[in-house]
Amino acid sequence: MPCCQRLTLFFFLVCCSWASVAQTLFVRPAQSEHDISHSFFVSLLEQSLKKSGAYQIEVLKVEDLTQDRGFLLLKQHRLDVFWAGINPVRADNFRVITVPLTMGMLGHRLPVIRRQDKAKFDALDEVELKKLRACQGSQWPDSDILEHNGYRVVRAPKFAMMYDMLSVGRCHYFPRGLNEVYGEVSSFEQSGGADDLIVYDKIVLKYRFPMLFFTHKDNEALAQKIDAGLRKMVESGELMQFIKSHPVTRDAFPLERFAESRIYELVNPLLTVPLPEDNHYWIHL
């Protein structure tokens, strides 16, 4: 092989090798064994990028990752993509991809309760519900939203604690997103947790609160690729189909089951970024 051809081949292989390394994206680990939504968001990220080149998603090995620490790792470039709810601090400090990843299902919160409390919840109105204690994450925007609307909240620093807290009666209910609640309760039981917890679908706490992808402020190119991929999925109907068929979210359907649920509308004071208004981006109960 002539020398010039060998050099061309050498530089081609070097560039390919470099590109492979550069396209590895680090994401957060699962919050606990009950965080079954982790697989949903990793798969969705892969789907959004599948037409933008070869990306390899890797989970960063880090213990006890809170949301605040996760955003710190994103700021330090140790994570490339993070998913969470939005608040003003996050909007100001990171690049936000504003396509709602679960089409707003995160903002439809269903109480997980103890089976023995079902009759009590059957008789509640919203005024009485506000007097009970809701378990929520100490760093979750949901905690601030609930408190803003007059609900009592017991905050816990780690996700793994909250189902146990509910089971032993330290709180009366644990509001979870429609996209995650059914899989989580099933996972809690299958892993040896108490089998006395149920999804109470006769009450829905509803507020505009999308789960979103975030990147570092400097990573505009990646953010644009993710945004473009997600919008194509919405327009083609692929995102809705993905949600309806994914093992984590499919048990929420059909949505007609909530036709007679008591839906309490809450105000979200934390939305500071413009979100898509097209109905194709949101589910509707």
Side-chain angles (χ1 to χ4, degrees):
M1 180 183 296
C3 180
C4 62
Q5 291 182 343
R6 288 199 298 270
L7 286 173
T8 300
L9 178 60
F10 171 78
F11 285 116
F12 173 79
L13 293 174
V14 169
C15 289
C16 287
S17 175
W18 177 85
S20 176
V21 172
Q23 291 175 337
T24 297
L25 302 179
F26 285 96
V27 300
R28 57 171 245 199
Q31 299 175 86
S32 80
E33 61 183 321
H34 307 311
D35 182 14
I36 49 88
S37 294
H38 183 270
S39 65
F40 174 92
F41 293 111
V42 171
S43 296
L44 182 55
L45 179 62
E46 291 172 338
Q47 286 292 103
S48 71
L49 289 169
K50 67 180 180 180
K51 296 180 181 178
S52 298
Y55 284 91
Q56 179 179 349
I57 311 298
E58 290 194 17
V59 174
L60 185 69
K61 293 180 173 60
V62 56
E63 298 292 330
D64 298 325
L65 185 67
T66 63
Q67 288 197 4
D68 283 356
R69 190 180 178 205
F71 276 106
L72 176 62
L73 294 179
L74 185 61
K75 191 171 186 177
Q76 294 172 341
H77 290 285
R78 293 179 61 190
L79 290 176
D80 297 292
V81 181
F82 195 74
W83 54 88
I86 188 74
N87 66 22
V89 173
R90 296 170 183 180
D92 289 343
N93 288 282
F94 300 93
R95 192 169 294 279
V96 188
I97 295 96
T98 59
V99 177
L101 303 179
T102 61
M103 304 184 76
M105 294 173 75
L106 184 67
H108 292 73
R109 313 294 283 199
L110 275 63
V112 180
I113 66 172
R114 294 185 297 174
R115 193 182 307 274
Q116 67 196 57
D117 293 334
K118 182 178 182 300
K120 177 193 293 185
F121 275 78
D122 284 340
L124 288 176
D125 60 20
E126 187 178 16
V127 172
E128 294 165 324
L129 180 63
K130 288 182 177 182
K131 296 176 183 178
L132 302 183
R133 298 186 303 274
C135 277
Q136 286 288 273
S138 58
Q139 299 167 9
W140 295 0
D142 303 271
S143 299
D144 299 324
I145 295 169
L146 288 169
E147 289 180 340
H148 177 83
N149 287 271
Y151 287 81
R152 294 179 64 190
V153 175
V154 178
R155 296 182 182 237
K158 297 179 182 178
F159 177 81
M161 299 171 59
M162 283 175 265
Y163 275 106
D164 290 328
M165 290 171 61
L166 174 61
S167 186
V168 300
R170 291 184 61 190
C171 56
H172 298 102
Y173 64 107
F174 184 14
R176 301 300 294 139
L178 178 57
N179 58 296
E180 58 202 355
V181 64
Y182 293 101
E184 284 182 4
V185 171
S186 177
S187 172
F188 183 75
E189 292 181 2
Q190 292 174 8
S191 63
D195 62 358
D196 65 334
L197 301 184
I198 61 171
V199 180
Y200 187 77
D201 61 7
K202 300 304 180 186
I203 290 177
V204 181
L205 303 179
K206 180 181 177 182
Y207 44 92
R208 180 61 65 92
F209 187 60
M211 180 71 86
L212 302 172
F213 282 138
F214 296 80
T215 68
H216 192 280
K217 274 281 191 182
D218 296 338
N219 209 342
E220 181 178 0
L222 176 61
Q224 288 182 347
K225 289 179 180 179
I226 296 172
D227 182 81
L230 289 172
R231 290 182 186 276
K232 288 178 182 177
M233 291 180 69
V234 172
E235 292 164 6
S236 67
E238 185 181 355
L239 180 56
M240 177 61 83
Q241 186 56 41
F242 180 86
I243 293 172
K244 285 185 174 181
S245 61
H246 194 279
V248 168
T249 48
R250 65 189 178 195
D251 288 341
F253 297 89
L255 299 179
E256 287 75 16
R257 73 169 70 181
F258 303 104
E260 298 183 5
S261 298
R262 307 191 296 279
I263 298 178
Y264 299 138
E265 301 267 358
L266 279 63
V267 174
N268 181 357
L270 305 179
L271 289 179
T272 58
V273 296
L275 298 171
E277 293 299 330
D278 190 318
N279 282 337
H280 290 94
Y281 284 79
W282 305 94
I283 62 117
H284 301 277
L285 296 189

